[in-house]
């Protein structure tokens, strides 16, 4: 089946046309800088495009994608549309898009203010431009809905959970689900006999404990700010720091929001960049704060993985994925060094070769297994869509 996957972000719409038979993308690209200085960049089976264009809202972005796909002779080829949705609230699995689903996504705007309205508009506009195609919503939070209450509840008054649904939701679920499925396949194991920890490390990062194919705990929480140190996000901090900054520096809610979401993480620690490539390069050249940023990133990740380990009876493999997890030799090395208590003994050659010759495994034979698996969220969204239509 040929599926159009749409990923409506706060100021961009990414797309891919996936052929689920050979699991390859026939066409892919994005419309970015919506509302500012619109730009479409895409490649298709016929010709690529790289142009500036007027896209005041997500509606024009979807139209631009439809027009591009028409020029690629794909309009009559696409059989369904799958949407990536950041926050699924109550949904525990992918859902066919109905007005009720769109209305629910809008109703939880406060959970992800930049994304939920964009998703709702994306679905409505896609209905307009592709009226005959069935659509499916695939939620980043859904995979984590199997967490037990002891993992998803915060230690705050229970009424806040009951009345306002404040709880740990977890994110990157599509990626954690995809790589855990791939790990089970590569390890040649049965899901019911497999226990994994997955670490999705990119601009945003999260880790999850996967027991018998189901998520039992994860590091991101009520929002994607919780958990690990990220590119510009602080990850978990003592909430009293916010009260302290309010009282000492007069920071209001908006200033604090900016501080922990946009000015912290690798960027805030290093004073240099949110990009792990820049951080590792500068650290290797002796930049003190880049070294600190790298150390904090890897130590906190190892510490969280240690915490997730206690949710499982054993760990069959630790999976690295995402831009950093798949590409950073030094991050994997430092994380596994910090985790030697769990029996990891990295094989430097396999690590440098990205486990290419060993089914992704980068640790020595006989030691606890760590693997690299490239994530493919678009493919999983396409596969879910195929199953649902
Ligand atoms: P993502 O959000 O998954 O696209 O990942 C983005 C992050 O991956 C950025 O911090 C990049 O610096 C990082 N990244 C990409 N390629 C490399 C690389 N070769 N080495 C280290 N980090 C990388």
């Amino acid at each position: 089946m040929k599926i159009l996957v749409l990923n409506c972000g706060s100021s961009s719409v990414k797309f891919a046309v996936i052929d689920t038979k050979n699991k390859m993308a026939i066409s892919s690209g994005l419309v970015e800088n919506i509302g500012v200085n619109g730009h479409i960049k895409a490649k298709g089976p016929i010709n690529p495009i790289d142009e500036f264009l007027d896209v005041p809202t997500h509606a024009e972005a979807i139209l631009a994608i439809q027009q591009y796909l028409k020029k690629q002779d794909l309009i009559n080829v696409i059989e369904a549309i799958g949407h990536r949705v950041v926050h699924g609230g109550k949904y525990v699995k992918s859902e066919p898009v109905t007005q009720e689903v769109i209305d629910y996504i809008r109703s939880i705007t406060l959970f992800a203010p930049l994304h939920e309205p964009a998703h709702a508009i994306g679905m409505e506009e896609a209905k307009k431009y592709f009226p005959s195609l069935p659509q499916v919503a695939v939620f980043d939070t859904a995979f984590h809905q199997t967490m037990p209450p002891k993992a998803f509840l915060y230690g705050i008054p229970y009424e806040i959970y009951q009345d306002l649904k404040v709880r740990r939701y977890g994110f990157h679920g599509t990626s954690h689900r995809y790589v855990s499925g791939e790990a089970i396949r590569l390890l040649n194991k049965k899901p019911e006999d497999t226990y994994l920890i997955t670490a999705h490390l990119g601009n945003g990062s999260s880790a999850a404990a996967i027991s018998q194919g189901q998520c039992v705990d994860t590091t991101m929480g009520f929002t994607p700010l919780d958990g690990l140190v990220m590119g510009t996000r602080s990850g978990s901090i003592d909430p009293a720091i916010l009260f302290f900054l309010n009282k000492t520096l007069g920071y209001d809610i908006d200033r604090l929001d900016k501080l922990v979401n946009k000015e912290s993480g690798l960027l805030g620690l290093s004073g240099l960049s949110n990009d792990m490539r820049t951080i590792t390069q500068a650290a290797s050249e002796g930049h003190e704060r880049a070294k600190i940023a790298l150390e904090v990133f890897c130590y906190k990740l190892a510490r969280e993985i240690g915490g997730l380990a206690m949710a499982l009876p054993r760990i069959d493999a630790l999976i690295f994925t995402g831009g950093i997890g798949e590409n950073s030799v030094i991050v994997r090395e430092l994380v596994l060094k910090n985790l030697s208590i769990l029996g990891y003994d990295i094989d430097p050659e396999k690590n440098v070769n990205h486990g290419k010759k060993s089914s992704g495994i980068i640790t020595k034979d006989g030691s606890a297994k760590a693997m690299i698996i490239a994530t493919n969220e678009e493919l999983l969204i396409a596969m879910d869509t195929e199953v649902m239509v």
Side-chain angles (χ1 to χ4, degrees):
M1 213 171 174
K2 315 278 192 304
I3 312 278
L4 169 61
V5 176
L6 288 177
N7 180 353
C8 293
S10 49
S11 64
S12 70
V13 179
K14 293 187 187 135
F15 79 92
V17 179
I18 308 275
D19 183 345
T20 56
K21 211 178 218 173
N22 62 15
K23 303 185 175 178
M24 301 293 281
I26 307 167
S27 175
S28 63
L30 85 168
V31 177
E32 59 187 348
N33 298 333
I34 293 171
V36 195
N37 189 18
H39 180 215
I40 182 167
K41 194 168 178 202
K43 56 182 194 294
I46 300 176
N47 49 18
I49 187 170
D50 188 342
E51 274 174 17
F52 288 94
L53 74 173
D54 195 27
V55 270
T57 70
H58 286 75
E60 290 80 14
I62 305 275
L63 176 62
I65 291 169
Q66 191 252 14
Q67 287 172 340
Y68 177 70
L69 294 174
K70 210 184 239 173
K71 287 188 194 142
Q72 304 305 304
D73 275 347
L74 288 174
I75 281 296
N76 296 319
V77 170
I78 298 166
E79 295 164 89
I81 302 176
H83 293 266
R84 180 216 177 200
V85 179
V86 165
H87 210 305
K90 66 178 180 182
Y91 291 120
V92 301
K93 59 172 185 52
S94 302
E95 293 284 334
V97 174
T98 59
Q99 195 54 48
E100 192 188 327
V101 168
I102 296 174
D103 291 344
Y104 179 75
I105 288 171
R106 273 219 172 81
S107 78
I108 57 168
T109 290
L110 265 182
F111 284 1
L114 298 179
H115 287 94
E116 301 300 287
H119 298 322
I121 294 170
M123 288 170 195
E124 284 166 347
E125 294 301 318
K127 222 194 289 181
K128 218 185 274 172
Y129 298 124
F130 303 88
S132 61
L133 297 187
Q135 300 189 50
V136 171
V138 180
F139 305 101
D140 261 11
T141 49
F143 182 58
H144 301 299
Q145 285 287 315
T146 45
M147 282 188 286
K150 66 180 178 186
F152 73 65
L153 285 173
Y154 288 110
I156 55 177
Y158 194 72
E159 294 74 25
I160 294 180
Y161 160 63
Q162 274 182 318
D163 300 343
L164 298 171
K165 305 292 172 246
V166 173
R167 50 160 286 178
R168 181 182 301 284
Y169 285 96
F171 297 85
H172 294 141
T174 315
S175 178
H176 290 294
R177 180 153 72 100
Y178 177 79
V179 297
S180 56
E182 281 296 285
I184 290 167
R185 190 178 64 76
L186 288 165
L187 293 169
N188 206 11
K189 288 181 73 76
K190 294 196 172 82
E192 60 273 21
D193 183 36
T194 311
Y195 302 93
L196 302 166
I197 290 183
T198 48
H200 176 107
L201 312 176
N203 272 323
S205 296
S206 68
I210 319 286
S211 169
Q212 303 175 309
Q214 298 200 320
C215 175
V216 288
D217 204 352
T218 190
T219 57
M220 279 182 169
F222 178 60
T223 73
L225 178 59
D226 204 359
L228 308 174
V229 170
M230 307 179 219
T232 59
R233 283 173 251 169
S234 62
S236 307
I237 60 169
D238 180 346
I241 294 169
L242 305 179
F243 316 147
F244 175 80
L245 292 176
N246 170 259
K247 294 213 169 98
T248 53
L249 301 179
Y251 282 14
D252 64 8
I253 292 288
D254 289 340
R255 183 68 195 89
L256 290 168
D257 188 326
K258 190 166 171 225
L259 178 87
V260 290
N261 272 299
K262 302 260 191 270
E263 299 172 356
S264 295
L266 294 174
L267 175 65
L269 284 164
S270 68
L272 193 64
S273 172
N274 64 327
D275 191 307
M276 187 54 96
R277 278 167 292 203
T278 311
I279 297 293
T280 47
Q281 179 65 31
S284 73
E285 289 162 3
H287 189 291
E288 280 309 318
R289 279 180 56 185
K291 279 202 261 182
I292 287 170
L294 180 61
E295 262 178 36
V296 173
F297 181 93
C298 295
Y299 173 76
K300 298 268 195 243
L301 171 59
R303 188 175 181 271
E304 291 278 342
I305 289 170
L308 291 170
M310 66 84 227
L312 302 172
R314 62 168 196 269
I315 307 167
D316 294 313
L318 165 62
I319 319 299
F320 289 97
T321 194
I324 298 172
E326 291 166 35
N327 294 304
S328 179
V329 170
I330 183 76
V331 166
R332 293 190 299 265
E333 185 187 317
L334 290 174
V335 172
L336 292 182
K337 252 187 205 157
N338 278 309
L339 282 170
S340 59
I341 183 90
L342 296 180
Y344 293 102
D345 191 1
I346 198 161
D347 182 320
E349 202 184 311
K350 288 181 188 167
N351 189 30
V352 168
N353 294 333
H354 302 265
K356 280 195 179 118
K357 293 183 200 143
S358 50
S359 302
I361 295 170
I362 55 165
T363 41
K364 290 184 183 154
D365 295 345
S367 104
K369 279 193 184 69
M371 314 170 69
I372 303 169
I373 296 179
T375 197
N376 194 339
E377 292 161 276
E378 289 84 7
L379 176 60
L380 193 61
I381 293 170
M383 310 272 270
D384 260 22
T385 304
E386 180 176 36
V387 169
M388 312 247 5
V389 297

